[in-house]
């Protein structure tokens, strides 16, 4: 019923094609939600395993291209979007030719941006509850996050681990000491702060009076002004749709872009849809933390219809379900 309401609302606010797209975007998640527990677990394990294997190949090509000349690429990818420079295509890895990568190259795998890769890996890590001892493929996902040098990927991975795994004050203090030591080493000791981790991660977390933190660069100043104007007059509750005349004011990604196009009410519907994907007999602490991470990611990169989000959230929460068996065993529950 909720999905039907979302489709009707999409038709009303944007158009028929968007309402139809909404159905085909979110309906597969309902199917995953409905399959038996053992199939949910096997599906999550299967995708985690083979995605990691593909990333092993991607990382290998990435390292070779950085160390020795790998040879000519299979071709060049040129997107119609003006936001991206051409990419050298190595099949499992696409190499950006952007001038921003001349100083230090961030690993993006087969995706357009390092942030895309890091968020997918972060969500898969949380969906598998960071069980590195039980699933060796998770180490590959962690390496992908580290090589991406993505602020969002680092924060989501670290925050998810802390909220899920650290339950005692002693462990929390130990983690604080380790993180504090790393911060001092990276910011002041390692080449006096002139290193990729400090430049791409820690320096972007510095407090900024206008943007909150220095790394909050998801929208332009023109977009911020356009957002404030339409928020004050109440138009953002419904959204402005995809009117081409407004596209000149919409640059970047994040919740402001989503609210401008689809409205705050649309986001509320999506949030309720995610909440309804949480099974009754599951680890609710895990599920609520996962939902919190989804909201935090939405603030920075507002694409809740991406199936990497829906897949990981649905199967992650579903795999913590408790089922009744002869000996009352608990499956995949912390």
């Amino acid at each position: 019923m909720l999905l039907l309401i979302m489709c009707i609302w999409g038709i009303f606010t944007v158009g028929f094609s968007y309402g139809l797209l909404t159905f085909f975007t979110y309906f597969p998640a309902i199917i995953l939600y409905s399959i038996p527990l053992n199939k949910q677990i096997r599906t999550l394990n299967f995708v985690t395993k083979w995605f990691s294997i593909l990333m092993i190949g991607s990382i290998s090509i990435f390292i070779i291209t950085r160390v020795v000349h790998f040879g000519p690429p299979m071709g060049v990818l040129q997107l119609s979007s003006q936001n991206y420079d051409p990419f050298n295509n190595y099949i499992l890895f696409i190499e950006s030719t952007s001038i921003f990568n001349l100083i230090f190259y961030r690993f993006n795998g087969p995706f357009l941006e390092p942030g895309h890769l890091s968020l997918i890996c972060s969500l898969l890590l949380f969906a598998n509850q960071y069980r590195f001892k039980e699933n060796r493929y998770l180490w590959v996902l962690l390496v992908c996050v580290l090589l991406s040098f993505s602020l969002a990927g680092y924060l989501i991975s670290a925050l998810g681990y802390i909220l899920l795994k650290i339950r005692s004050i002693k462990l929390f203090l130990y983690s604080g000491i380790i993180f504090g030591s790393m911060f001092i080493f990276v910011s002041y000791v390692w080449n006096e702060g002139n290193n990729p981790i400090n430049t791409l991660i820690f320096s972007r977390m510095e407090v900024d009076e206008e943007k909150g933190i220095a790394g909050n660069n998801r929208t332009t100043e023109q977009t911020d002004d356009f957002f404030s104007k339409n928020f004050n007059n109440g138009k953002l509750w419904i959204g402005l749709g995809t009117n081409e005349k407004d596209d000149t004011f919409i640059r970047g990604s994040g919740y402001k872009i989503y609210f401008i196009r689809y409205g705050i009410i649309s986001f509320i519907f999506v949030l309720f849809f995610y909440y309804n994907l949480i099974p009754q007999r599951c680890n609710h602490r895990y599920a609520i933390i996962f939902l919190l991470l989804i909201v935090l990611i939405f603030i920075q990169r507002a694409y809740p219809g991406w199936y990497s989000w829906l897949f990981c959230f649905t199967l992650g929460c579903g795999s913590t379900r408790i089922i009744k068996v002869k000996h009352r065993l608990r499956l995949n529950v912390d």
Side-chain angles (χ1 to χ4, degrees):
M1 179 59 73
L2 180 58
L3 179 57
L4 180 60
I5 295 174
M6 291 169 60
C7 295
I8 295 174
W9 182 257
I11 294 173
F12 171 73
T13 56
V14 181
F16 179 79
S17 60
Y18 181 72
L20 194 61
L21 177 64
T22 299
F23 176 81
F24 286 109
T25 297
Y26 292 99
F27 182 70
I30 297 177
I31 297 177
L32 285 179
Y33 173 85
S34 304
I35 64 177
L37 172 61
N38 61 337
K39 291 186 178 179
Q40 286 186 332
I41 295 174
R42 286 204 301 266
T43 303
L44 178 60
N45 291 338
F46 178 86
V47 172
T48 301
K49 173 183 176 180
W50 286 103
F51 182 81
S52 299
I53 290 174
L54 290 175
M55 289 306 99
I56 291 174
S58 185
I59 293 172
S60 300
I61 297 174
F62 167 72
I63 293 175
I64 293 174
T65 56
R66 303 275 72 77
V67 177
V68 297
H69 182 62
F70 188 73
M74 301 297 293
V76 177
L77 297 178
Q78 178 64 66
L79 303 180
S80 58
S81 172
Q82 299 179 356
N83 298 327
Y84 296 101
D85 292 312
F87 292 86
N88 291 324
N89 183 15
Y90 291 100
I91 306 300
L92 294 178
F93 166 65
I94 57 174
E95 179 185 44
S96 174
T97 60
S98 170
I99 59 173
F100 296 106
N101 288 316
L102 296 178
I103 301 175
F104 184 82
Y105 201 92
R106 299 166 59 194
F107 178 58
N108 56 287
F111 301 95
L112 297 178
E113 298 181 19
H116 297 170
L117 171 68
S118 66
L119 285 180
I120 292 173
C121 292
S122 299
L123 290 173
L124 273 175
L125 285 171
F126 194 87
N128 287 276
Q129 301 182 55
Y130 305 98
R131 289 174 169 167
F132 293 96
K133 292 182 179 180
E134 300 174 19
N135 190 344
R136 63 185 183 278
Y137 293 106
L138 298 185
W139 291 106
V140 179
L141 302 180
L142 180 61
V143 170
C144 288
V145 174
L146 294 176
L147 291 178
S148 72
F149 289 93
S150 167
L151 175 59
Y154 278 42
L155 289 179
I156 293 300
S157 298
L159 182 61
Y161 184 86
I162 290 172
L163 293 176
L164 185 64
K165 294 293 186 180
I166 299 180
R167 303 188 184 185
S168 68
I169 297 178
K170 181 185 293 187
L171 286 176
F172 185 82
L173 291 175
Y174 285 159
S175 300
I177 293 173
I178 293 174
F179 180 80
S181 302
M182 290 175 55
F183 179 80
I184 293 174
F185 174 77
V186 171
S187 300
Y188 302 102
V189 178
W190 183 8
N191 200 24
E192 298 181 350
N194 187 21
N195 58 77
I197 294 181
N198 186 48
T199 302
L200 298 172
I201 305 298
F202 287 158
S203 63
R204 295 181 63 202
M205 292 191 291
E206 295 177 356
V207 178
D208 185 277
E209 293 183 359
E210 295 183 358
K211 298 186 293 183
I213 62 171
N216 182 18
N217 58 349
R218 307 309 300 175
T219 55
T220 64
E221 183 177 350
Q222 187 180 28
T223 301
D224 292 337
D225 294 338
F226 187 70
F227 175 87
S228 299
K229 172 186 175 182
N230 286 279
F231 181 80
N232 292 331
N233 62 28
K235 290 184 178 180
L236 293 190
W237 284 102
I238 297 178
L240 303 178
T242 54
N243 194 333
E244 293 183 1
K245 70 178 183 180
D246 295 326
D247 283 350
T248 55
F249 301 98
I250 304 176
R251 290 290 183 272
S253 63
Y255 74 97
K256 291 183 179 180
I257 305 298
Y258 187 93
F259 287 171
I260 290 173
R261 287 180 173 164
Y262 309 115
I264 299 173
I265 294 178
S266 177
F267 169 69
I268 295 174
F269 284 145
V270 171
L271 188 61
F272 271 109
F273 183 85
Y274 270 88
Y275 182 79
N276 279 276
L277 291 175
I278 300 175
Q280 291 183 352
R281 293 180 176 179
C282 77
N283 186 335
H284 280 274
R285 177 179 177 273
Y286 167 87
I288 294 302
I289 294 174
F290 208 159
L291 186 59
L292 173 63
L293 294 181
I294 291 293
V295 173
L296 292 177
I297 295 173
F298 175 86
I299 294 174
Q300 188 262 351
R301 192 178 293 276
Y303 305 117
W306 274 6
Y307 215 70
S308 57
W309 297 29
L310 290 163
F311 176 87
C312 293
F313 183 82
T314 305
L315 294 187
C317 294
S319 64
T320 67
R321 282 185 294 162
I322 303 172
I323 63 173
K324 293 182 179 180
V325 294
K326 292 182 180 180
H327 301 288
R328 296 182 180 179
L329 296 177
R330 292 165 63 91
L331 300 179
N332 276 303
V333 180
D334 287 336

